[in-house]
C-alpha cells in the first residue's frame, strides 16, 4: 500500500465451501509523498451450523461469524523499502458467545523494479482478547509470513 493507490476502493466477495461467505471493502488515501493510510472491513460468515448438546441431541442451528474493522498506515523507508502496520478490532459471534480482540500487524517490503523482485515479511495478530468468550483471556495466534515474488523472463 502506497501513495500511488490514493483514492482507490477495493471490494471483494467469495462464496466458499458449504454456505461460507467472505467479503471485504477497503479505501486507501495518500498521506504526503511517501505514505498512505487505509480503512477497511472484512466479514467472515461460516454458514448455518447445527447446534447440539453433549449427548448429540439437536437443539437448532446457528451462524457463526467474524468481523474485522481495521486501519492501516504505510511509509516508504527508502526508495526500495516500505514498512507499515495495521490496527484491527476483531469481533466474533458464535451462537450465544461473542468476543472482541484488538491486534496489530507489522510488515515490511523490499522491491527492486530493475530485477522485478519483491521480498516481504509480516508478523500478524499481535494482540489479544478484550472481551472473552468464557473465563480465560487468550492471545491471538501469531502468524509470521514471508513472501518472495520475481519474474524470471523478459
Amino acid at each position: 500500500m502506497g501513495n500511488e493507490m490514493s483514492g482507490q476502493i477495493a471490494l471483494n466477495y467469495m462464496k466458499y465451501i458449504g454456505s461460507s461467505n467472505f467479503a471485504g471493502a477497503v479505501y486507501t488515501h495518500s498521506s504526503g509523498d511517501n505514505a498512505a493510510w487505509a480503512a477497511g472491513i472484512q466479514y467472515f460468515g461460516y454458514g448455518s451450523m447445527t447446534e447440539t448438546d453433549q449427548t448429540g441431541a439437536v437443539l437448532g442451528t446457528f451462524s457463526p461469524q467474524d468481523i474485522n474493522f481495521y486501519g492501516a498506515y504505510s511509509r516508504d523507508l527508502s526508495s526500495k523499502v516500505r514498512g507499515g502496520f495495521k490496527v484491527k478490532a476483531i469481533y466474533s459471534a458464535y451462537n450465544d458467545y461473542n468476543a472482541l480482540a484488538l491486534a496489530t500487524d507489522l510488515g515490511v517490503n523490499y522491491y527492486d523494479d530493475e530485477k522485478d523482485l519483491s521480498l516481504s515479511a509480516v508478523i500478524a495478530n499481535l494482540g489479544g482478547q478484550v472481551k472473552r468468550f468464557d473465563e480465560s483471556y487468550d492471545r491471538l495466534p501469531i502468524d509470521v509470513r514471508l513472501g518472495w515474488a520475481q519474474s524470471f523472463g523478459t
Side-chain angles (χ1 to χ4, degrees):
M1 178 180 73
N3 63 352
E4 68 276 3
M5 300 171 69
S6 187
Q8 293 188 19
I9 295 173
L11 304 171
N12 64 68
Y13 173 78
M14 179 175 69
K15 181 137 181 78
Y16 199 56
I17 296 171
S19 55
S20 295
N21 291 283
F22 307 115
V26 63
Y27 172 76
T28 60
H29 193 78
S30 66
S31 180
D33 292 335
N34 299 314
W37 60 266
I41 183 171
Q42 294 174 300
Y43 170 79
F44 307 92
Y46 307 106
S48 181
M49 297 184 180
T50 303
E51 178 184 6
T52 62
D53 65 14
Q54 296 85 344
T55 66
V58 175
L59 302 175
T61 61
F62 67 102
S63 299
Q65 58 189 337
D66 295 309
I67 302 172
N68 173 4
F69 301 94
Y70 65 89
Y73 178 81
S74 70
R75 179 165 196 78
D76 293 342
L77 304 175
S78 74
S79 63
K80 294 186 179 188
V81 178
R82 182 175 285 167
F85 64 91
K86 179 192 288 185
V87 177
K88 52 193 178 180
I90 306 161
Y91 175 76
S92 298
Y94 303 158
N95 200 15
D96 295 331
Y97 301 95
N98 58 61
L100 176 67
L102 298 177
T104 189
D105 301 344
L106 305 173
V108 64
N109 174 261
Y110 168 84
Y111 180 69
D112 184 336
D113 60 345
E114 291 176 11
K115 296 178 181 177
D116 198 21
L117 169 67
S118 179
L119 302 170
S120 298
V122 174
I123 300 174
N125 293 334
L126 298 169
Q129 292 176 320
V130 175
K131 182 186 180 304
R132 59 188 183 225
F133 282 119
D134 55 21
E135 300 296 320
S136 66
Y137 284 101
D138 297 317
R139 296 188 64 77
L140 296 175
I142 294 175
D143 186 5
V144 178
R145 304 173 196 159
L146 302 174
W148 168 33
Q150 183 172 18
S151 293
F152 292 108
T154 55

